[in-house]
Amino acid sequence: MTNPTAIRSLAPRFCPQCKAELSFKITPDKIECRQCGYIVRREDGQPDKPVVNTPTLIQPESPEAKAKRLKAALLGGLTMRGPVESWARAAYDTGTDMIRQENWDEALKAFRRSAEYQDNFVDAHLWIARLTDDPAEKRRRLEEVLAYDLNHMEATRELMILRGELAADAPAFDPYVDVRVMVAGGAVATTTQNLRCPRCGSPGMTTDEMTGLITCGSCSYVDEAASGRTAASVGMLSMALLKRAAQPVVWVVGERLLHCNSCGAERTIPAGRLSERCPYCGSNHVIQKDALNTFQQPDGLVPFGIWRAQAGDLIKERLGGWMERVSGWFGDNTVKRATLEGVYLPYWAFDAAVEIQRTTVRESFGIGYSRQHQQRNAAALGYQTETLYDALNDVLVCGVKSPAPLLTRKLGTFDLDAKVAYDPQHLATHAAQLYDIDFDKASLEARSRVGDAMRERHTPPHKDGVRVSVFSSVKNMTFQLLLLPVWVGTLYEADGDVRTALVNGQTGRVALGKARRGG
């Protein structure tokens, strides 16, 4: 959980010059008041520029620092999961003794012998990577570690540093350390893509309901490039967590500043919007990034397969069901007015490789067995432990707090085989939300669902006298950020209540929220 004391504001609430409230515009170069042009200075207690993640130059490691680093690594103990052969362990212990004596050459030889005795001894490979000065061997040894343990955070971190994907002084991921949070006390400037037709310049780009192709309503231009791309590859959760740990700060953005490239109008929009249409010229804009780099772009998108008229009919059918008629006895839930809008909601899609430990304890033979039978087969009593391996794909966690997670989970599954690569042109017809639940928080929910699924899948039917315990451990997890199609309806009832209705834009499944008193 984030420590509230770590939250600071990037821009002051009131402008010191004109006293305007929340009037600052945040760009990569400066923080400026939109009312009077005042620029925030350091004497106001704030930085001249937003903090950026600029790697510092690392000096060559001194012998003292090397000794301190390697001896500190000894405190971590073994990370090997499984048995270690005696000869491999003996050579490994020799290597650790040489580390304590600061005899690096002999230590390297001992760890190489240990790795030769047992190929899958990940700690031996890891120590060789720590000691060797050869980048090629370091890379090979780290890859050996990850071949046997995909979730090994230290090997992942060192390999990312070697590839240039992470700064050499980047901190290690620590799940118990809160991130530093800062609030952007003003509208954050954005870079956008204007969804105009590349042939005629019309803002009327849309998605054809019959073919799913992105076309121009004015000149019939078809954007075949955006329609035909395949979805992007997935990302490793461990690498993403390490990159997150390397960030100096996580920003909380309340609103963003959108500049229309067509008519020049500027306006602020809520932080949850990924796309927005200009009310003055009709141009549709999709946010690509903001001045603080607070979000990542989607990796893929599942197109709508259920259209507006169909979604409306499905909601009407659901409202006519038996349960809805019964609830109408206690209040007039007749819908007097309704709105319905197609929206792409952000979902984190996780794939997990899982190791399962299943323990079966036979406490008795149960009812129906004679005393003589139980005495003859007493040796069968006791416990047995099995190690199983499984996987679970396409675990979807909605990345927004509104609509509520309890409601979005009722939408059921989506067929992710239908996904295509994300292109802003896909948002020409339907708007999209930005996520406000990040991948690290979503991964915790995904792990919980994986654990529930593994217990259900690997727990055998109940038998008298037999107790089974199933414990699962996620060995590796990958993820994508996808935009999935949802119809969002707001139902205004005759008794003054308001309800939210969601329709899965691919399968047509309907989720109805609870009625609440309208404002």
Side-chain angles (χ1 to χ4, degrees), residues 249-451:
V249 67
V250 171
W251 297 101
V252 176
V253 175
E255 58 184 12
R256 292 184 173 89
L257 188 70
L258 194 149
H259 175 85
C260 180
N261 298 325
S262 298
C263 68
E266 280 193 349
R267 66 197 185 282
T268 58
I269 62 173
R273 302 279 181 84
L274 180 61
S275 62
E276 183 80 2
R277 191 174 295 276
C278 178
Y280 304 105
C281 68
S283 297
N284 198 2
H285 296 265
V286 178
I287 298 175
Q288 296 177 307
K289 65 177 182 178
D290 62 26
L292 300 177
N293 292 318
T294 59
F295 67 94
Q296 70 181 66
Q297 289 285 298
D299 299 299
L301 175 146
V302 173
F304 275 82
I306 300 293
W307 306 108
R308 192 176 190 279
Q310 294 173 288
D313 290 340
L314 290 167
I315 293 175
K316 291 178 184 178
E317 181 180 345
R318 176 65 181 275
L319 290 172
W322 181 80
M323 287 300 295
E324 291 300 319
R325 290 199 299 270
V326 170
S327 65
W329 298 347
F330 306 98
D332 188 358
N333 61 359
T334 304
V335 176
K336 294 299 185 182
R337 181 168 60 90
T339 63
L340 188 61
E341 180 186 8
V343 179
Y344 284 106
L345 293 184
Y347 277 78
W348 299 104
F350 295 91
D351 294 341
V354 190
E355 179 182 279
I356 301 105
Q357 296 291 330
R358 184 169 65 186
T359 302
T360 303
V361 181
R362 180 178 287 276
E363 299 168 328
S364 69
F365 289 98
I367 300 173
Y369 289 91
S370 67
R371 184 181 182 85
Q372 291 78 8
H373 179 277
Q374 297 192 37
Q375 290 176 344
R376 286 197 305 268
N377 296 277
L381 299 175
Y383 70 91
Q384 177 186 7
T385 300
E386 306 170 84
T387 301
L388 309 171
Y389 297 94
D390 205 341
L392 193 64
N393 296 329
D394 299 341
V395 181
L396 295 175
V397 179
C398 190
V400 296
K401 299 175 183 176
S402 180
L406 288 176
L407 192 58
T408 54
R409 286 194 67 173
K410 293 179 182 178
L411 288 171
T413 61
F414 292 80
D415 180 11
L416 300 190
D417 289 338
K419 67 178 179 288
V420 297
Y422 170 71
D423 189 292
Q425 293 287 357
H426 287 293
L427 307 184
T429 302
H430 303 294
Q433 281 190 229
L434 271 173
Y435 59 88
D436 49 24
I437 299 175
D438 216 337
F439 71 89
D440 50 349
K441 300 296 188 297
S443 69
L444 299 178
E445 172 66 19
R447 288 175 185 272
S448 176
R449 295 188 196 177
V450 169

Side-chain angles (χ1 to χ4, degrees), residues 52-222:
V52 294
N53 185 16
T54 304
T56 56
L57 295 176
I58 305 300
Q59 299 297 325
E61 190 176 35
S62 66
E64 294 79 9
K66 180 178 181 179
K68 183 178 179 181
R69 172 176 61 86
L70 294 175
K71 289 182 179 180
L74 291 174
L75 302 177
L78 286 177
T79 62
M80 176 72 175
R81 302 171 189 260
V84 180
E85 298 174 9
S86 57
W87 285 104
R89 182 58 191 259
Y92 178 85
D93 290 341
T94 300
T96 57
D97 289 339
M98 293 299 102
I99 292 293
R100 294 185 182 93
Q101 299 173 32
E102 301 185 17
N103 190 337
W104 316 128
D105 292 336
E106 290 301 318
L108 187 57
K109 293 177 183 178
F111 290 128
R112 282 174 175 158
R113 290 198 305 273
S114 180
E116 289 174 3
Y117 291 140
Q118 185 174 348
D119 289 341
N120 68 339
F121 190 11
V122 295
D123 293 275
H125 293 292
L126 186 61
W127 272 106
I128 296 170
R130 288 168 176 159
L131 288 165
T132 184
D133 295 324
D134 182 3
E137 183 179 23
K138 183 185 289 287
R139 178 190 293 266
R140 180 169 62 85
R141 296 293 182 173
L142 292 172
E143 290 173 347
E144 286 282 346
V145 174
L146 294 175
Y148 295 110
D149 186 355
L150 279 170
N151 213 30
H152 200 292
M153 293 298 286
E154 182 181 350
T156 302
R157 176 182 179 275
E158 293 300 321
L159 189 59
M160 291 176 68
I161 292 174
L162 199 62
R163 293 172 176 171
E165 300 171 1
L166 207 61
D169 61 342
F173 172 71
D174 188 342
Y176 303 104
V177 175
D178 291 336
V179 296
R180 183 182 176 218
V181 177
M182 289 188 69
V183 177
V188 180
T190 59
T191 301
T192 65
Q193 179 173 333
N194 193 341
L195 302 186
R196 285 184 172 272
C197 175
R199 177 189 290 171
C200 68
S202 168
M205 297 296 290
T206 186
T207 303
D208 186 270
E209 293 190 2
M210 299 299 296
T211 64
L213 297 175
I214 300 169
T215 62
C216 175
S218 299
C219 69
S220 301
Y221 169 81
V222 178

Side-chain angles (χ1 to χ4, degrees), residues 26-73:
I26 300 172
T27 69
D29 301 320
K30 59 187 176 181
I31 304 172
E32 181 180 4
C33 177
R34 300 199 303 273
Q35 301 293 329
C36 66
Y38 177 85
I39 298 177
V40 177
R41 305 295 183 186
R42 289 191 184 277
E43 52 266 27
D44 299 313
Q46 302 293 337
D48 286 332
K49 296 183 181 180
V51 179
V52 294
N53 185 16
T54 304
T56 56
L57 295 176
I58 305 300
Q59 299 297 325
E61 190 176 35
S62 66
E64 294 79 9
K66 180 178 181 179
K68 183 178 179 181
R69 172 176 61 86
L70 294 175
K71 289 182 179 180

